[in-house]
């Protein structure tokens, strides 16, 4: 059974701190790993990672995939209160049956 | 293990037919379920919020007569795409809110694995 595990489950930091969120996956026919930020209406897409070792960056957020370790990390530097959200990781598996397996998320709370 | 399942995982149908997608919460009773559609570049769009025993709340721009949502029990919500057309081809994902709270209190939503709809 496909599985995605995120850690920690919950995290509270002060503004300005740097955080690292973890995601590990076990899926058949892995194709890519997706990160989302969930605040209100729908998860907002952050990154899609397909190649190992190549860092993707967007402002203060960055992410990298390690296919050998079957894992990914999402880094947020200089955190702001607006970064408070649940961060979801999802593994996309393919080969006929397109499927997204979501982790349970990491709740990040950034306090002033 | 999985707490939300979807069935079928993949469906191919002819234009004009209707397709029903099921979303089930396996480990808990979900009073609220959500239906999303995945667009290119992986963005997810919330289509509707489904509340058990009442009418679904649709997001602006989503045709309620086109996408029929039924939440007949605390563990099952269905999305029926009526008179499907090729432009309805997409990946549909449901999520269910755990009323007991889960690890994030009332924020906790568990996502299903999605259903790939292809309309020929």
């Amino acid at each position: 059974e496909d599985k995605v595990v995120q850690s920690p489950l919950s995290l509270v930091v002060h503004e300005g701190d740097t955080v690292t969120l973890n995601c590990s996956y076990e899926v058949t026919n892995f194709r890519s790993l997706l990160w989302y930020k969930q605040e209100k209406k729908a998860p907002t897409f952050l990154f899609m990672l397909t190649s190992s070792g190549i860092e993707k960056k967007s402002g203060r957020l960055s992410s990298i995939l390690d296919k050998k370790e079957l894992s990914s990390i999402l880094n947020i530097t200089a955190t702001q209160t607006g970064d408070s959200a649940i961060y979801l990781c999802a593994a996309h598996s393919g080969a006929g049956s397109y499927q997204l397996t979501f982790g349970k998320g990491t709740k990040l709370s950034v306090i002033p | 293990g999985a707490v939300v399942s979807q069935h079928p995982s993949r469906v191919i149908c002819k234009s004009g037919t209707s397709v029903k997608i099921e979303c089930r919460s396996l480990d808990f009773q979900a009073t609220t379920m959500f239906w999303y559609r995945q667009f290119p570049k992986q963005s997810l769009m919330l289509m509707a919020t489904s509340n058990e025993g009442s009418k679904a709340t649709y997001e602006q721009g989503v045709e309620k007569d086109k996408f029929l949502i039924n939440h007949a029990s605390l563990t099952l919500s269905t999305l029926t795409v009526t008179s499907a057309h090729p432009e309805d081809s997409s990946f549909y994902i449901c999520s269910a809110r755990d009323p007991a709270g889960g690890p994030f209190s009332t924020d906790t939503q568990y996502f299903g694995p999605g259903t790939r709809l292809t309309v020929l």
Side-chain angles (χ1 to χ4, degrees), chain A residues 1 9 36 41 96 98 107, chain B residues 2 10 38 42 59 104 107:
Chain A
E1 186 183 320
L9 222 49
Y36 289 91
K41 288 245 164 146
Y98 181 107
K107 182 171 186 175
Chain B
R10 186 180 186 190
Q38 186 179 42
Q42 315 303 330
E59 296 299 307
F104 306 140
D107 297 333

Side-chain angles (χ1 to χ4, degrees), chain A residues 1 9-10 34 36 38 41-43 45 48 86 88 96-100 102 104-107, chain B residues 1-2 9-10 36 38 41-44 46 59 91 93 103-104 107 109-113 116:
Chain A
E1 186 183 320
L9 222 49
S10 184
L34 311 175
Y36 289 91
Q38 182 169 27
K41 288 245 164 146
F45 171 73
M48 181 171 81
I86 294 173
L88 295 164
S97 61
Y98 181 107
Q99 181 164 296
L100 266 186
F102 280 87
K104 293 185 178 179
T106 292
K107 182 171 186 175
Chain B
S9 58
R10 186 180 186 190
Y36 300 87
Q38 186 179 42
K41 298 193 177 179
Q42 315 303 330
S43 65
L44 297 183
L46 178 65
E59 296 299 307
F91 191 62
I93 304 170
F104 306 140
D107 297 333
Q109 281 185 44
Y110 296 108
F111 285 81
R116 166 67 87 188

Side-chain angles (χ1 to χ4, degrees), chain A residues 45-81:
Chain A
F45 171 73
L46 296 175
F47 298 109
M48 181 171 81
L49 306 162
T50 52
S51 301
S52 209
I54 298 174
E55 186 183 52
K56 289 214 171 176
K57 288 197 76 163
S58 177
R60 295 177 293 103
L61 276 65
S62 64
S63 185
I64 196 162
L65 176 68
D66 185 337
K67 282 186 174 178
K68 195 175 173 186
E69 296 294 325
L70 305 182
S71 67
S72 173
I73 59 170
L74 174 68
N75 279 319
I76 308 175
T77 58
T79 52
Q80 302 171 357
T81 54

Side-chain angles (χ1 to χ4, degrees), chain B residues 13 36 42 54 56 83 90 93 97 109 115:
Chain B
C13 68
Y36 300 87
Q42 315 303 330
S54 63
S83 187
S90 191
I93 304 170
R97 177 177 282 156
Q109 281 185 44
T115 296

